[in-house]
Structure formats: C-alpha cells, structure tokens
Amino acid sequence: MPKKRDLRQVTDSRVLAAMAHPLRRRLMDLLKVDGPATASMLAERTGEAVGNISHHMKVLAASDLVEEVPELARDRRERWWRLVSAALRWSSRDFENDPAGEAVAMAAASLGTERQLALLNAWRAASAEEHSAWGEGPFSTDSWMRLSPDELVEFSHEVIGLIRRWADRDVPDDGVERSPVFVFSHGIPAQP
C-alpha cells in the first residue's frame, strides 16, 4: 500500500471547491479518522444515500483528494477509498489574482470556520456524563501576542508542527481506547 503524501498544498481553486463542500469534508474526515472505507460504509456513518456518497467520492477522486484502494476489494463491484494526503493546507494568497479563486477561498474559509464552531458547540452540548469521562483533557486557550508577520509565520509552523506530530503518529497498540479528538487553532491579526 503506497504511503500517503504527508501534506498537500492546495493551489487550484477547483480542488479547494471540491474539498470545501460540507459533506465531502466530512467524508474526508471519516477517512482520516477511520481509514479506508466503501461508499456503503460511509453512507451508513453519515446517514446519506449510497449514490450520493459515490458521487461525492468521484468528485474528490477527480481532484486527487481520495483514491481507490483496489487491493481491499473482495470483488470487482466493491470500491474502497482512502485519502491521498494525510493533511491539506491552502492560503488565500494563492488565489489573489483570480477573482473566482478568491471567492472560492473566502467561501472555503467561511465553511471551515462554521464546521469548527459546529464541532465545538456539539461538544459544549454533550452530556455531563460525556464531559466527566474526558476529565481535564478538553481545553480552550487564547492569548494576545505582539508579533511581526515573520514571527507569526514561525509561530504557526511550530503550532502546526505540534498538531501534525500528534495527528500523524502511529497509534500505540497498547489496549488503551482512543477516541477521535478534533483540534483547531487560529492565529490572526486583531485588535482587542
């Protein structure tokens, strides 16, 4: 099985549009967390129709975001899918000279923020029992800093590096139950 590319820099607005769709993003998240899956498995996990999932997987494949894994299929009708890259990154700067690309980048950023906040709000609405089961693990932090643009770049590389180290690690086979945990971070110029 070929190793996934570690990080893909997305510079094509068509790829950005493909990955920014809420259901396609969720499908990619499921493949990241649970590994390769068929459209039927993904349909069961999302509550969507298998045909709808198949359509979205083909869109993702056309953008080289997912790929088929024929060696997992039991017969020619069964299609397994996996992520091509372990992580994706994009910058609005890559779309500055393309008005359509800029619009896609703005929409993708907005949808990404909405997704992050939806996951945060779902956690906040979870039962007291679920909160208690996680103890002091879930966290929130914010801080004001005085940074130059270059220092913000350096800081972002350190934060992203820490997150990637934990996200891409080989999960120990030590019998400890591990659940998916969503982590997000923003560092933006702002005024108090």
Side-chain angles (χ1 to χ4, degrees):
M1 180 185 289
K3 183 172 176 11
K4 291 185 284 191
R5 288 181 278 188
D6 289 334
L7 176 67
R8 176 178 177 187
Q9 182 74 32
V10 175
T11 57
D12 183 331
S13 62
R14 293 169 297 191
V15 174
L16 187 59
M19 67 180 249
H21 185 279
L23 178 56
R24 290 193 285 264
R25 182 58 193 254
R26 184 167 180 214
L27 295 171
M28 292 173 61
D29 286 347
L30 286 167
L31 293 173
K32 171 70 175 169
V33 171
D34 297 333
T38 64
S40 295
M41 294 165 70
L42 293 167
E44 186 177 314
R45 292 176 191 157
T46 61
E48 296 285 333
V50 174
N52 189 32
I53 297 297
S54 292
H55 163 74
H56 287 291
M57 295 308 291
K58 289 175 186 171
V59 172
L60 291 169
S63 295
D64 196 30
L65 294 167
V66 301
E67 64 187 359
E68 285 193 59
V69 193
E71 61 268 24
L72 295 180
R74 291 175 292 193
D75 58 46
R76 286 193 282 182
R77 292 176 297 146
E78 190 175 65
R79 295 174 83 177
W80 283 77
W81 299 95
R82 71 172 161 221
L83 290 177
V84 172
S85 301
L88 300 171
R89 182 178 182 153
W90 59 274
S91 170
S92 55
R93 283 187 320 224
D94 292 327
F95 307 100
E96 285 176 344
N97 298 320
D98 172 14
E102 281 183 355
V104 170
M106 290 294 290
S110 179
L111 289 169
T113 301
E114 288 174 19
R115 177 177 151 272
Q116 292 167 348
L117 292 176
L119 290 168
L120 178 61
N121 288 331
W123 167 251
R124 293 190 192 286
S127 69
E129 181 180 353
E130 190 170 356
H131 282 240
S132 176
W134 282 92
E136 293 183 37
F139 68 94
S140 172
T141 184
D142 58 52
S143 184
W144 287 99
M145 303 175 190
R146 288 196 176 271
L147 302 173
S148 71
D150 288 342
E151 289 169 332
L152 182 56
V153 169
E154 181 181 351
F155 180 75
S156 72
H157 287 206
E158 289 181 30
V159 170
I160 291 168
L162 175 65
I163 292 170
R164 292 277 25 106
R165 191 183 76 200
W166 278 87
D168 297 339
R169 74 185 175 126
D170 290 329
V171 178
D173 186 14
D174 57 7
V176 174
E177 183 179 338
R178 289 174 173 84
S179 299
V181 172
F182 180 70
V183 176
F184 67 100
S185 176
H186 292 271
I188 55 168
Q191 294 296 320

